[in-house]
Amino acid sequence: MASWPRDGRVTGLQRLCCAGLAGALSLSLTAPLELLTVLAQVGTWHCRRGLRGAGHSLCRAEGVRALWKGNLTACLRLFPYNALQLAASRRLVVLFTDELGHISHWRAIMAGSLAGMVATVVTHPTDVIKTRLIVQNRLEPSYKGILHAFYKIYHQEGFLALYRGVSPAILDDLVVLGCKISTTFIKIYISAVPFSAGSFFVYINLDKIWREPIVHFTPLQNFINGCVTAGVAQTLSFPFETVKRKMQAQSPWLPHYGAVDVHFTSMADCFRQTVKNKGVLGLWSGLTPSLLKIVPYFGVMFSTFEFCKRVCLYRNGYIESPLNYKLTPGVDQSLQPQELRELKLLRRESFEPRKSALEN
C-alpha cells in the first residue's frame, strides 16, 4: 500500500505553472532532437543520410530556425495536458483510494495511466498540428501557423483528421501502462514532467542495485532511475509512436502526401507497410535522438521545476530565499498557503493599536 504524497505548501495553480514553465524550457532546448525524431519516424527525405545529415540538410534548405518547427505548439500543449492529467489523476486516485486514504501500487499505476490517456485524447489535435508543422517546408509552408493549420485541416480533411493517429497513441499508453512504475515513486518528480513513464521491471531491479529504500534515494539516484526507466518504456512503446507520426503526417492535401515514406490505409496497414518496406527496425526509426533527448530533457526539467518551486515557497513565506530550502523561522510548515496567510493577517490585526472613541 502507498499513500498519495503531496507538498501542501504549494498551491495547485503554482504547481501547474511550475510544471508548464519547466516543460516549456526543456522542450525548447531539446526541440532539435525531437524534430529529428519526428522526421525519422515519418521517413522524410532529410533522413536518407542519417541523423547528422538530416540536421545539416534541413538547416541548409530551410535555415537554422527550422530546427524549432512545431516547438511553440508543443509548449502550448503542455498546460492543458498537465491540467487535464492532474485533474483526472486526482479524480481517479480518490476513486481508487480506500477509507484510510491509501492506494495500492497497481491502482496508482492504473490511475496515472488512465489520466494520461484522457489528457492524450483531449489534446491529440495539437499533436497532429505539431507533426504537420514539423514535416512541412518552412520556406513554402502549407500552414501559416497553429490556428491556420487547425482551420485548414478541419475544413479540408474533416474533424476526424485532427484525431488521426489517436489509436496507436492510446495503444502506446497501454504499452506504457504495462511498463509503468508506481505513481507513488514517480510522484517524487511527476509534477515536473508532462508525461510519466518507466519500467516496473527495471525499477524493481534498480531498487535492488541501490540496496536501500526508495525514501533514501538522492536526487541523483532519482534522476538516473527516471532516465533509465523512461528510456526502457520509450523503447518498448516506440513502434506505436512511429505509426502515430506517420498517420498524423499523411494527407492527400499536402505535397508528396506529407512526405511519408510509406503509403497506407489504416493503422494495421501502416505497421505492415513499414515492416515490408523498411524492415522491422523501421518501426524504431528515430529512437536514437529520442533517447539522446532524455538526459538533457530530464535534467533541465528537474532543475527548472525545483527552482520554480523554491520561488513559490519563498513567495508563500515558507523559506527565506528562492536560492535554497532554508526554512523561515517560526513558520509552521504543515499549514496550507491560505492558512498561513490568514494566520499572518490575524497576527497583524492583533498587534495593530485600536483607535480610541475620541479619535472616531
Side-chain angles (χ1 to χ4, degrees), residues 317-331:
Y318 293 99
I319 60 177
E320 290 186 338
S321 169
L323 300 179
N324 56 56
Y325 276 112
K326 188 176 182 180
L327 303 180
T328 303
V331 174

Side-chain angles (χ1 to χ4, degrees), residues 218-285:
T218 64
L220 178 60
Q221 288 174 314
N222 287 325
F223 177 77
I224 294 174
N225 290 350
C227 290
V228 173
T229 52
V232 171
Q234 193 161 353
T235 301
L236 294 176
S237 62
F238 203 76
F240 296 100
E241 178 77 12
T242 299
V243 171
K244 180 188 76 172
R245 293 300 181 192
K246 291 181 186 296
M247 294 179 68
Q248 289 176 339
Q250 180 175 268
S251 172
W253 298 90
L254 295 176
H256 309 291
Y257 259 70
V260 183
D261 56 354
V262 295
H263 297 287
F264 48 88
T265 57
S266 64
M267 182 183 69
D269 188 45
C270 184
F271 272 104
R272 187 164 48 250
Q273 295 297 332
T274 302
V275 173
K276 179 181 178 181
N277 291 276
K278 302 294 180 179
V280 176
L281 293 181
L283 294 171
W284 277 270
S285 295

Side-chain angles (χ1 to χ4, degrees), residues 195-233:
F195 60 90
S196 62
S199 167
F200 187 75
F201 174 76
V202 174
Y203 163 66
I204 293 297
N205 283 276
L206 285 174
D207 190 25
K208 294 177 180 178
I209 292 173
W210 294 124
R211 294 182 180 179
E212 57 182 330
I214 299 172
V215 294
H216 294 160
F217 282 179
T218 64
L220 178 60
Q221 288 174 314
N222 287 325
F223 177 77
I224 294 174
N225 290 350
C227 290
V228 173
T229 52
V232 171

Side-chain angles (χ1 to χ4, degrees), residues 120-184:
T120 296
V121 171
V122 174
T123 61
H124 191 76
T126 59
D127 201 32
V128 174
I129 292 173
K130 169 192 166 184
T131 302
R132 295 288 183 90
L133 293 177
I134 286 178
V135 299
Q136 74 172 359
N137 190 323
R138 192 177 69 89
L139 303 180
E140 299 176 0
S142 301
Y143 310 111
K144 299 177 181 179
I146 299 173
L147 295 179
H148 183 251
F150 182 89
Y151 175 85
K152 198 169 181 180
I153 294 172
Y154 176 76
H155 283 275
Q156 288 184 340
E157 305 175 48
F159 177 75
L160 292 180
L162 293 168
Y163 280 89
R164 191 170 293 158
V166 72
S167 297
I170 295 176
L171 290 174
D172 186 11
D173 287 335
L174 289 174
V175 171
V176 173
L177 167 61
C179 304
K180 194 180 289 184
I181 59 180
S182 168
T183 305
T184 54

